[in-house]
Amino acid sequence: KGEKVYGRKCEIKKITRMTANKFLERNDIDGITNAKVNIGAFYNDELVGVLCLSKGQKNRWTIERIAASYDKVCSGVCGKMFAYFKKNFQFNSIEVLGDRRWAFDAEDNLFTILGFKYAEEVKPSFKYVRMRHYVTNGYNRQDFKKCDEYIDMKTKLLIENKPSNEKAVAKK
């Protein structure tokens, strides 16, 4: 267990995408994001939490990432960052797609604590992978544009279990 950090003792402010992504690389399984708004929670001048949101059409926002420092026990930090966003930004709606591997109980999880209501269960997403010497590096699908030739070739390599050292051929 790490040091306990309470949201009420944190200073909340906007941070740069670079700062958010550096934090996410270390503390979030999904890694970096291209979110429009990045909010950080600071405890004794140390970044201990990040909330990243993107704006869609008709002032609809989506939470892209919400993460706390892996080596701290953070209580109320995510809620304080979310309250900061609601106070300082205009929105018609806010949505979040939660990973069911981490939010086991649909009725009692971080998102319901923040006031979100369960809307629906969606099919799982997928990631592109590159296999190298039995090590798999995951890439978020948002980093790639769809290209049927590439997907078919990659699928075949994965089915045949042949390692591939090539880089992705189609990036946004």
Side-chain angles (χ1 to χ4, degrees), residues 5-140:
V5 175
Y6 295 97
R8 67 181 174 268
K9 296 190 175 192
C10 292
E11 178 188 359
I12 309 299
K13 59 186 175 184
K14 280 185 70 174
I15 57 175
T16 66
R17 183 182 299 163
M18 185 189 312
T19 300
N21 283 338
K22 187 176 177 184
F23 181 88
L24 290 170
E25 280 182 330
R26 183 168 184 201
N27 295 286
D28 189 78
I29 194 166
D30 285 327
I32 66 173
T33 181
N34 286 323
K36 179 180 173 89
V37 172
N38 301 283
I39 298 168
F42 291 84
Y43 177 72
N44 292 335
D45 294 323
E46 177 187 357
L47 184 59
V48 295
V50 167
L51 172 64
C52 305
L53 301 101
S54 291
K55 187 176 182 181
Q57 295 179 356
K58 298 183 181 177
N59 213 17
R60 294 180 180 152
W61 290 82
T62 301
I63 293 179
E64 299 289 338
R65 301 281 188 280
I66 188 165
S69 184
Y70 77 91
D71 60 352
K72 306 260 188 282
V73 178
C74 297
S75 179
V77 173
C78 294
K80 190 162 181 187
M81 290 186 295
F82 190 59
Y84 175 92
F85 173 80
K86 292 194 306 183
K87 179 181 177 185
N88 293 287
F89 293 87
Q90 292 183 346
F91 60 92
N92 287 335
S93 65
I94 305 170
E95 70 176 15
V96 62
L97 297 174
D99 190 328
R100 291 189 305 267
R101 293 175 298 175
W102 313 120
F104 301 112
D105 186 347
E107 304 298 321
D108 184 25
N109 58 61
L110 172 65
F111 306 119
T112 58
I113 291 168
L114 293 177
F116 286 89
K117 303 290 183 223
Y118 177 81
E120 67 182 82
E121 187 173 307
V122 295
K123 291 181 181 179
S125 180
F126 63 92
K127 293 187 178 196
Y128 293 85
V129 296
R130 174 178 61 190
M131 298 176 75
R132 182 180 347 140
H133 306 292
Y134 306 106
V135 176
T136 302
N137 297 317
Y139 296 94
N140 192 296

